[in-house]
Amino acid sequence: MSNFVDYIKIFFRSGKGGNGSTHLHRDKLTAKGGPDGGDGGRGGHIIVRGNENVWTLLALRYQKHIFAGNGGDGSGACRTGAFGNDVYIDVPLGTVIKNAETDEFVCEITEHNQEKIVIHGGRGGLGNWHFKSATNQTPRYSQPGEEGIEGWFTLELKVLADVGLVGFPNAGKSTLLSVVSAAKPKIADYPFTTLVPNLGIVSYRDKASFVMADIPGIIEGAHEGKGLGLRFLRHIERNSMLLFMIPADTKNISKEYEILLNEVQQYNAELLDKPRLLAITKSDCIDDELETLLQADLPKGVQTIFISSISGKNIVELKDAIWKLLH
């Protein structure tokens, strides 16, 4: 079973507010004192918190129900009840939280230690001292605490990276990532070797770096859920730029590029506003003459670089082009 989990449906319940107290002041000197019932404490919140050291929602896979603590009841001497315990849920950066029943957006977490309250705890009830008046000196009633809020929510991870690799299965995405970073994605000569996104930090000149995401391969119809479909496309939404990758031995490079562009556009047209670059991979398999012939049939309107992760051809030039687009 994969340790990478990017989608979770989970039931949250915030804490109930404590009841207000109905109390009249009594001590050895006071036989009939006024109202001094304290307020109930508020119920606990459900809070999500960004954690840059967490890369997956795996820890939540087996927690289908999460409940916050209830607030304590008020008491005499105008003492407020204890607040219910808040529940903090650490999530990876790039997590989007939605109401599962309405699909309504709740919040997104993009920064380390960023906190968002998903559902608030119920308010504590008011004690009877709040209801004292000139005509009612000893009110014998108080407010109950508010009920907590409950419901099903979805947590959806969208990988945050500078560069997202876009291509058909076996386009050489994993090989490139393994060459330019310390990431060790699974590599084999069959479709969908990559089943989950892999992130790698790519070192650049003067100790600079950028993050590259190798994402599961796309196929025609991915925007309709075919292949790994929507699971893949979700992860390129947060990338600063897209690096399209097509092998040099493809029968029609321009047509394949158009299919990839169409899948991205059908999923979310705004993704085409991102800077993009086209790398022709596995170019160690062709000679200079064939490369020149291929140049004439390359897609228009996008910068193209012939690369080889095996021989290292134009890898430095590719990094330069990526850096220029990112900055």
Side-chain angles (χ1 to χ4, degrees):
M1 185 178 289
S2 170
N3 285 336
F4 185 85
V5 177
D6 57 3
Y7 183 90
I8 287 288
K9 185 176 179 182
I10 199 163
F11 185 84
F12 291 145
R13 182 193 293 158
S14 61
K16 176 186 181 298
N19 297 320
S21 170
T22 304
H23 189 271
L24 301 175
H25 178 63
R26 297 286 187 270
D27 61 27
K28 61 183 179 182
L29 301 176
T30 310
K32 293 185 177 180
D36 69 346
D39 301 342
R42 74 153 172 84
H45 301 322
I46 301 286
I47 303 170
V48 290
R49 176 172 56 195
N51 186 336
E52 63 186 9
N53 300 312
V54 177
W55 294 92
T56 170
L57 298 171
L58 177 68
L60 299 174
R61 169 176 268 174
Y62 306 107
Q63 287 184 272
K64 289 300 182 186
H65 300 83
I66 294 181
F67 303 150
N70 294 329
D73 294 340
S75 57
C78 294
R79 285 189 291 263
T80 299
F83 283 11
N85 290 329
D86 297 331
V87 174
Y88 287 86
I89 302 165
D90 282 356
V91 297
L93 307 190
T95 299
V96 175
I97 295 92
K98 293 180 180 178
N99 185 306
E101 290 159 15
T102 64
D103 204 37
E104 180 184 357
F105 172 86
V106 177
C107 64
E108 63 180 322
I109 301 295
T110 57
E111 299 174 7
H112 184 59
N113 284 332
Q114 176 187 0
E115 293 181 5
K116 294 280 188 180
I117 298 175
V118 178
I119 46 176
H120 289 78
R123 289 179 297 185
L126 299 177
N128 67 338
W129 72 273
H130 285 278
F131 304 105
K132 180 180 177 181
S133 68
T135 56
N136 187 0
Q137 294 287 321
T138 54
R140 286 176 165 80
Y141 52 84
S142 57
Q143 267 187 341
E146 277 186 348
E147 293 295 328
I149 301 170
E150 62 181 37
W152 287 94
F153 292 82
T154 59
L155 278 66
E156 184 177 279
L157 174 60
K158 299 179 181 181
V159 165
L160 286 167
D162 297 308
V163 186
L165 305 183
V166 181
F168 284 100
N170 283 354
K173 302 184 296 297
S174 298
T175 307
L176 175 66
L177 186 71
S178 69
V179 167
V180 298
S181 77
K184 294 290 182 283
K186 184 178 178 183
I187 299 169
D189 190 24
Y190 57 87
F192 299 121
T193 310
T194 302
L195 298 176
V196 300
N198 290 296
L199 295 182
I201 298 174
V202 181
S203 298
Y204 189 61
R205 306 172 193 270
D206 303 321
K207 297 183 179 179
S209 64
F210 54 86
V211 178
M212 183 178 281
D214 164 32
I215 296 160
I218 221 182
I219 63 169
E220 195 165 4
H223 71 276
E224 298 171 344
K226 293 181 181 176
L228 296 175
L230 302 178
R231 277 192 59 192
F232 147 76
L233 289 162
R234 177 164 71 236
H235 291 297
I236 64 174
E237 287 190 84
R238 294 293 176 76
N239 302 153
S240 301
M241 66 160 285
L242 304 177
L243 175 60
F244 287 82
M245 299 180 67
I246 299 174
D249 57 3
T250 299
K251 290 181 180 178
N252 190 326
I253 291 173
S254 290
K255 182 179 179 182
E256 190 157 306
Y257 178 67
E258 287 301 320
I259 293 172
L260 291 170
L261 267 187
N262 181 61
E263 290 304 319
V264 171
Q265 182 178 24
Q266 292 294 327
Y267 175 71
N268 183 349
E270 292 180 5
L271 294 176
L272 296 189
D273 295 334
K274 296 179 184 287
R276 57 182 182 265
L277 192 63
L278 174 59
I280 308 301
T281 63
K282 306 180 184 179
S283 59
D284 55 302
C285 299
I286 60 174
D287 56 23
D288 293 342
E289 183 180 350
L290 184 53
E291 184 176 316
T292 303
L293 290 172
L294 287 174
Q295 293 276 6
D297 296 324
L298 292 177
K300 303 294 187 284
V302 62
Q303 182 183 353
T304 307
I305 301 177
F306 283 82
I307 68 167
S308 169
S309 301
I310 303 301
S311 69
K313 176 180 178 178
N314 287 339
I315 295 297
V316 173
E317 289 76 5
L318 177 66
K319 287 186 185 182
D320 288 339
I322 289 171
W323 190 259
K324 189 174 180 181
L325 280 178
L326 287 175
H327 298 85

